[in-house]
Amino acid sequence: MFDWLVVGAGFAGSILAERLAAERGDRVLVIDKREHIGGNAYDHLDAAGVLIHRYGPHIFHTNSEAVFAHLSKFTAWRPYEHRVLAEVVSPTTGEAVRVPMPINLDTINKLYGLDLTEDQLEAWFAERAEQVDVVRSSEDVVVGKVGRELYELFFRGYTRKQWALDPSELDKSVTARVPTRTNRDDRYFTDKFQAMPRDGYTAMFAKMLNHPNITVRTGVDFAEARRRFSFRRVIWTGPVDEYFGHRHGRLPYRSLRFQHETLDQQQALPTGTVNHPAEATPFTRVSEYKHLTGQVHPKTSVTYEFPAAEGDPYYPIPRPENQALYKRYEALADAERDTWFVGRLATYRYYNMDQVVGQALATFERIQKVVPPAPVNDEIAARVAAGD
Ligand code: FAD
Ligand code: UDP
């Protein structure tokens, strides 16, 4: 008999499994239907020996000291600040150019052959920005700041490919993830902590799950676990609608197909990622892992991301009608006794890794308030019974 069945060995499940086992002495069974731990952050050596991320590039960044400190118990870090170039056709020369993304001072100067200063760029954007009274959609966010030409060059095609929706149909929060800058800062993220787990994500998860009270079974799905094991409570990190048998209909998710390639050369790209916003190009971006990992190797591996309707559910799709449907599932989840819903798919939130870690730690605190810990041995049982 386990105290907990944790469904999913990604960030949400692994963080909670460790807390429950280490802090409370609970006996925890972690399952994942995939053959490995780590969820979408799983990394491994490919056939050539290059460390790659099976589910696309994962770059860790956070402003939360608490999240960074917690993960630091399970890994050392390699400082890394991600940089991205976007390949677009210059409106002035008609040539393909690679320019910094997020759009910054250098992006505009290079694209238009200008020599603007920061202040001048502010005015340049203001001249082009469209009047948007209420910013609702992912189109509003961008055209309201930089105008239509840059929106079409950098955002419209990329977004239509990634989501199979026009930016006007998507919540503003989606394109708002990518800021616009007037300075020369070319980092993709500006968070206080930006680093990669020194030995990779999988090694970090292995350390987190390496506890005598934790049993890990990969290649096992929830249905099988229910037949084979007994447990008191569940941590669910899969899609919330799947848990409830799609009772209210399917929540939409967006998928990707990853094309991994190993090249017989030291380096393939000038930065960790090159984005391809043009709608005619079927992939959205290509990433080279050695930038992220710092690995020294005579070969290099890259991954192309092709958006797809079918496949693993990678992205909740932020738009009002989906949020309304999620609310109906959230009501069911709230009413579900002894099951806790945590993570990107279980709470239908477009969360980064650090946000999932924060959510899992907060869930643990809530559990601490309402679930009495399982006595692990006679001595502890006696102390619990004595109210000590
Ligand atoms: P997951 O990692 O999806 O884990 C859930 C697990 O549950 C899965 O392994 C799944 O197999 C398992 N599962 C589901 N249903 C069942 C079932 N019925 N039975 C058994 N097991 C089940 N975040 C960042 O911070 N930085 C990045 O650079 C970044 N890049 C990303 C790139 C891509 C392409 C994607 C898709 C996401 C990226 N993310 C990034 C987001 C990051 O992947 C997530 O925030 C994080 O991995 C979510 O963790 P999770 O535990 O909620 O879910
Ligand atoms: N986006 C875009 N052009 C870009 C980069 C991003 O239009 O060059 C939009 C697109 O809609 C994308 C969203 O901004 O889905 C968020 O980008 P981010 O890089 O955060 O996506 P993720 O890494 O989560 O896939």
Side-chain angles (χ1 to χ4, degrees), residues 30 189 248 267-268 293 319:
V30 180
F189 309 109
H248 295 316
Q267 196 184 314
T293 60
R319 57 194 310 224

Side-chain angles (χ1 to χ4, degrees), residues 24-45:
R24 296 162 53 94
D26 290 357
R27 284 148 303 179
V28 184
L29 172 64
V30 180
I31 59 157
D32 203 299
K33 64 182 177 190
R34 290 167 168 164
E35 296 292 341
H36 58 75
I37 58 172
N40 287 339
Y42 173 68
D43 56 12
H44 66 107
L45 296 181

Side-chain angles (χ1 to χ4, degrees), residues 129-144:
E130 289 184 7
Q131 168 87 30
V132 181
D133 293 332
V134 185
V135 177
R136 279 204 189 87
S137 73
S138 269
E139 176 180 324
D140 298 341
V141 174
V142 185
V143 298

